[in-house]
C-alpha cells in the first residue's frame, strides 16, 4: 500500500481495536497485533501484552473500537423481498448489525422460530397511504420469539395500532417513502445507538473505560468512515470492495457503483456481513459452506491440497481456509450464489484486503484465488488490482479521522 | 423542438412523437372515489424509456397515483411494488421483444402472493419479436394472466380501455 499513516496529524494518539480473535494497538510509529487470551479480561490481556505502550498515553489520547461482541443480531419481518426486507437489511448492515434472518409476513406461519435471543426485531412494510397489512399472526409470532428490542418502521397507520399491542415496540418513521424510495436516517440512528449502548454495556468493554476518556465505537462504523478516504490516501481505484475476513465473520464494504439495484441511498459505500464465515470461531461453518460449493474442491486441487486439510490445524491449513474464504465470499457477491446483493464484479477495479488475513496471505496467494474465481465463475480474465492492508492503515485512517472529529 | 414532441435516435433514425398526447388534467371518471394507484415500468432488461415517461405523465394527468419503477424492472419487483403500495393496477410496458418470455412466468410468480387477487393487470408496447399479429398475441397474453393486452396500441387508446375496464369492474363489484 502506497500511503503511510505516520505523517498524519493525529500523531500522538493511541488507537486500539478489539476483535473477536485479535486485538491491535497502533501508535504513529508502530502497530502491534496480539492473539487474545480468552481466559483473561480484555483489559488485563491488553495491559499484559501492550502495557508499556498504553502507559505512554493519556486517557484523552486513547481511542478504542471493538467488534469483540460480534455485533447485534436482527430478525426482519417485512412484506416483500424487493422493498421492505431489502431496505431494512441494507440499513441494518450499514449500522453494523448482523441480519440473522428475514421473513415475509404473508408466510409468517411457515417460518420456524429462532431459538437464539434476537437483539432487535425490525418490522417494516407498506407506504404510508397503505395500511391494514399486518394482523394478529404477527403478535402470535412475536409472543414466541425471544427478543430484547422491537422497532417498527413501516406504514404509519399500522404502526400507531401496533404500538399498543406489541410489547416494547419503538415506532419510527417509515423507511419507505411515498415514491417507494428508501429513507435511512431514523432507523440507522436507532440501530447505531443500540449497538453503541450494547458495546458500552458489555462488562468486558466497560473496563476499557479505565484507560480512555473517549467513547468506544464499533469497528465496522470506524472502517466505514475510512472508505471515502481510501482512494485519496492509497493506490485504490473506484469502484472497489474491501474484504475484512476475521476470526468469526467476514465484512464486505463495497462501492455503490457496483450494485444494479432499486436502492438509491446517499452514501457511497455499503456494507454486508457474512456472519458464519471466519477462519477461527466460524471455522466449521466455513468448511460446511465450502463443501456445498462445487468449485471449492477444484480450488483445493488448484492449491495442491485435498479435503483432508479441513481436519488439519496448521499454518498451512489456516492459509488454505483464508483462501477458501475469499473465494466463497466472492461467490456470494456474484450471480453464482446470490446473497441479498449482487455486485457487478467485472466492473470492480480494486479489491482491498484487511484484517487478520493480511498477516497470513501475501499478494501472490490472494491474486491466485481472485484469478481462479474470475476464471471459473465469471469466465473472465478480469484482474482487479489487489491491495493488502498489511499495516492496518485503513483502520488507522478511519480511527484517526474519527479521533480528530471527536 | 415543439412542445410535447420528443426526439429519440435509434442509430440513424430520428422519430418524432407529436400531437395529442394530452397531459392536461383530465377530469377523472372516478371522481369522488379514492385515487386509484398504478404501478408501472418497463419489464426485463428493456431500456426503452420514452413510452414509460409518457405513461407516467398521462396517468398522472388522468388522476391516478403513479409508482413508476422505470426501465429494467423484473417481474418480482412489479408484484412487490404492488404489495407495498396497495396498487389497484399493474401496467407493464415492453418494447424490445422480451414480453413473451416474461409473460409465461406471470402466473407462477403471481401465485406466490396472497394479496394480489384484485389487481388489474395490463401490458402494452411491442409484445413480440417483429410485428406480430394482435389476434394471436392478445388471447395468448390474456391466458398468461393479463386483463388488458395492448399490442402496438397507442397510449391514450390503451388508457381509455383501462378506464372502461375499471368502470365495468366497479359496476360488477357494486352489483355483487
Ligand atoms: C429509441 C429506440 C431505441 C433506443 C432507446 C433509448 C431509450 N433509452 O429509450 C436504443 C438505441 C437504446 C434502443 C436499443 C434497442 N432497441 Co430500440 N428502438 C427505439 C425506437 C427507434 C423508438 C422507441 C421509442 O422511444 N418510441 C417512442 C415511444 C413513445 O413509442 P413506443 O416505445 O413505441 O411506445 C408507444 C406504444 O408502443 C405504446 N406503449 C408502450 N408501452 C405501452 C404500455 C401500455 C400498457 C400501452 C397501452 C401502450 C404502450 O405507447 C407509446 C406511445 O403510443 C424503436 C423503433 C420505433 N420507431 O418504434 C426501436 C425498437 C423498439 N428497438 C428495437 C430493438 C430490437 C432494440 C435493441 C434490441 C437493438 C439492439 N439489437 O441492440 C436494443 C434493445 C436495448 C434494450 N436492452 O432494451 C426494436 C424492437 C423490436 C421488437 N420488439 O421486435 C424496435 C421496434 C426497432 C425495430 N423496428 O426493430 N432502441
Amino acid at each position: 500500500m502506497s500511503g503511510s499513516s505516520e505523517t498524519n496529524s493525529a500523531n500522538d494518539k493511541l488507537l486500539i481495536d478489539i476483535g473477536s480473535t485479535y486485538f491491535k494497538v497502533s501508535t504513529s510509529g508502530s502497530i502491534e497485533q496480539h492473539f487474545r487470551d480468552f481466559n483473561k479480561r480484555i483489559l488485563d490481556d491488553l495491559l499484559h501484552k501492550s502495557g508499556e505502550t498504553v502507559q505512554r498515553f493519556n486517557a484523552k489520547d486513547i481511542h478504542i473500537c471493538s467488534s469483540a461482541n460480534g455485533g447485534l443480531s436482527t430478525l426482519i419481518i417485512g412484506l416483500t423481498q424487493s422493498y421492505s426486507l431489502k431496505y431494512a437489511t441494507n440499513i441494518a448492515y450499514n449500522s453494523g448489525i448482523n441480519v440473522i434472518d428475514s421473513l415475509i409476513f404473508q408466510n409468517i406461519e411457515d417460518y420456524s422460530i429462532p431459538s437464539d435471543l434476537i437483539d432487535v426485531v425490525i418490522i417494516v412494510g407498506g407506504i404510508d397511504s397503505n395500511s391494514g397489512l399486518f394482523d394478529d399472526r404477527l403478535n402470535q409470532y412475536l409472543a414466541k420469539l425471544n427478543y430484547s428490542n422491537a422497532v417498527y418502521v413501516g406504514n404509519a397507520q399500522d404502526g400507531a395500532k401496533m404500538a399498543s399491542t406489541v410489547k416494547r415496540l419503538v415506532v419510527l418513521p417509515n423507511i419507505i417513502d411515498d415514491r417507494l424510495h428508501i429513507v435511512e436516517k431514523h432507523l440507522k440512528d436507532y440501530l447505531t445507538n443500540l449497538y453503541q449502548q450494547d458495546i458500552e454495556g458489555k462488562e468486558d468493554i466497560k473496563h476499557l473505560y479505565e484507560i480512555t476518556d473517549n467513547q468506544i465505537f464499533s469497528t465496522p462504523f470506524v472502517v466505514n468512515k475510512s472508505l471515502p478516504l481510501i482512494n485519496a490516501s492509497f493506490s485504490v481505484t473506484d469502484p472497489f470492495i474491501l474484504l475484512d475476513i476475521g476470526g468469526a465473520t467476514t465484512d464486505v464494504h463495497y462501492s455503490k457503483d457496483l450494485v444494479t439495484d432499486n436502492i438509491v441511498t446517499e452514501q457511497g459505500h455499503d456494507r454486508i456481513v457474512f456472519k458464519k464465515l471466519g477462519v477461527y470461531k466460524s471455522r466449521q461453518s466455513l468448511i460446511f459452506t465450502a463443501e456445498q460449493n462445487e468449485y471449492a474442491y477444484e480450488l483445493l486441487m488448484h492449491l495442491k491440497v485435498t479435503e483432508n486439510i479441513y481436519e488439519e490445524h496448521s499454518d498451512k491449513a489456516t492459509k488454505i481456509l483464508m483462501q477458501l474464504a475469499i473465494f466463497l465470499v466472492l461467490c456470494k457477491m456474484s450471480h453464482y450464489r446470490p446473497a441479498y446483493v449482487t455486485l457487478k464484479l467485472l466492473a470492480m477495479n480494486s479489491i482491498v484486503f484487511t484484517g487478520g488475513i493480511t498477516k497470513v496471505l501475501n499478494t501472490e496467494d490472494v491474486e491466485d484465488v481472485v484469478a481462479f474465481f474470475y476464471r471459473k465463475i465469471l469466465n473472465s480474465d478480469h484482474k482487479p488490482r489487489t491491495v493488502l492492508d498489511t499495516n492496518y492503515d485503513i483502520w488507522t485512517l478511519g480511527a484517526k479521522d474519527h479521533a480528530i472529529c471527536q | 423542438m415543439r412542445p410535447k414532441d420528443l426526439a429519440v435516435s435509434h442509430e440513424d433514425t430520428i422519430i418524432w412523437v407529436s400531437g395529442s398526447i394530452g397531459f392536461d388534467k383530465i377530469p377523472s371518471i372516478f371522481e369522488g372515489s379514492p385515487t386509484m394507484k398504478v404501478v408501472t415500468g418497463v419489464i426485463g432488461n428493456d431500456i426503452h424509456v420514452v413510452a414509460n415517461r409518457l405513461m407516467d405523465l398521462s396517468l398522472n394527468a388522468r388522476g391516478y397515483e403513479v409508482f413508476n419503477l422505470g426501465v429494467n424492472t423484473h417481474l418480482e419487483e412489479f408484484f412487490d411494488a404492488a404489495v407495498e403500495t396497495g396498487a389497484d393496477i399493474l401496467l407493464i410496458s415492453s418494447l424490445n421483444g422480451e414480453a413473451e418470455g416474461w409473460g409465461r412466468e406471470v402466473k407462477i410468480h403471481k401465485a406466490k402472493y396472497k394479496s394480489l387477487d384484485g389487481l388489474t393487470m395490463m401490458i402494452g408496447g411491442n409484445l413480440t419479436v417483429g410485428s406480430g399479429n394482435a389476434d394471436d398475441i392478445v388471447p395468448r397474453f390474456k391466458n398468461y394472466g393479463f386483463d388488458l393486452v395492448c399490442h402496438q396500441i397507442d397510449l391514450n387508446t390503451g388508457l381509455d380501455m383501462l378506464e372502461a375496464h375499471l368502470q365495468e369492474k366497479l359496476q360488477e363489484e357494486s352489483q355483487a
Side-chain angles (χ1 to χ4, degrees), chain A residues 283-385:
Chain A
R283 187 188 161 106
Q284 277 319 315
S285 71
L286 173 77
I287 292 172
F288 179 77
T289 314
E291 284 169 347
Q292 307 298 307
N293 188 308
E294 60 193 292
Y295 291 98
Y297 179 70
E298 269 188 63
L299 176 61
L300 292 184
M301 289 215 311
H302 173 79
L303 299 172
K304 301 197 173 55
V305 294
T306 65
E307 280 171 318
N308 294 338
I309 198 86
Y310 296 153
E311 315 300 326
E312 268 181 43
H313 286 269
S314 60
D315 288 352
K316 171 103 193 247
T318 306
K319 196 174 149 181
I320 298 287
L321 283 187
M322 289 212 167
Q323 286 179 297
L324 259 180
I326 297 175
F327 177 74
L328 295 174
V329 169
L330 289 174
C331 283
K332 280 177 187 275
M333 306 300 283
S334 75
H335 285 282
Y336 175 59
R337 282 284 152 93
Y340 106 106
V341 281
T342 307
L343 300 187
K344 291 184 279 181
L345 292 174
L346 290 173
M348 178 168 81
N349 284 324
S350 312
I351 172 163
V352 186
F353 294 88
T354 188
I357 195 167
T358 61
K359 301 287 172 199
V360 178
L361 300 182
N362 61 33
T363 308
E364 212 177 292
D365 300 330
V366 167
E367 281 180 349
D368 190 19
V369 187
V370 173
F372 178 88
F373 167 81
Y374 274 95
R375 243 187 357 257
K376 282 287 164 197
I377 306 294
L378 301 183
N379 273 324
S380 156
D381 289 329
H382 183 69
K383 195 168 181 280
R385 192 192 155 84

Side-chain angles (χ1 to χ4, degrees), chain A residues 80 82 84 106 126-127 179, chain B residues 37 66 80 84 86 112 114:
Chain A
T80 71
S82 324
S84 34
Q106 72 158 22
I127 60 170
R179 303 257 61 80
Chain B
K37 293 179 186 171
V66 186
D80 282 357
E84 301 278 2
K112 295 180 195 153
K114 294 181 182 162

Side-chain angles (χ1 to χ4, degrees), chain A residues 73-77 100-103 114 118 120-122 141 145:
Chain A
S73 63
T74 184
L75 172 89
I76 306 173
I77 302 173
I100 63 145
D101 210 351
S102 58
L103 49 96
I118 308 286
V120 53
V121 181
I122 303 173
Y141 185 88
L145 192 69

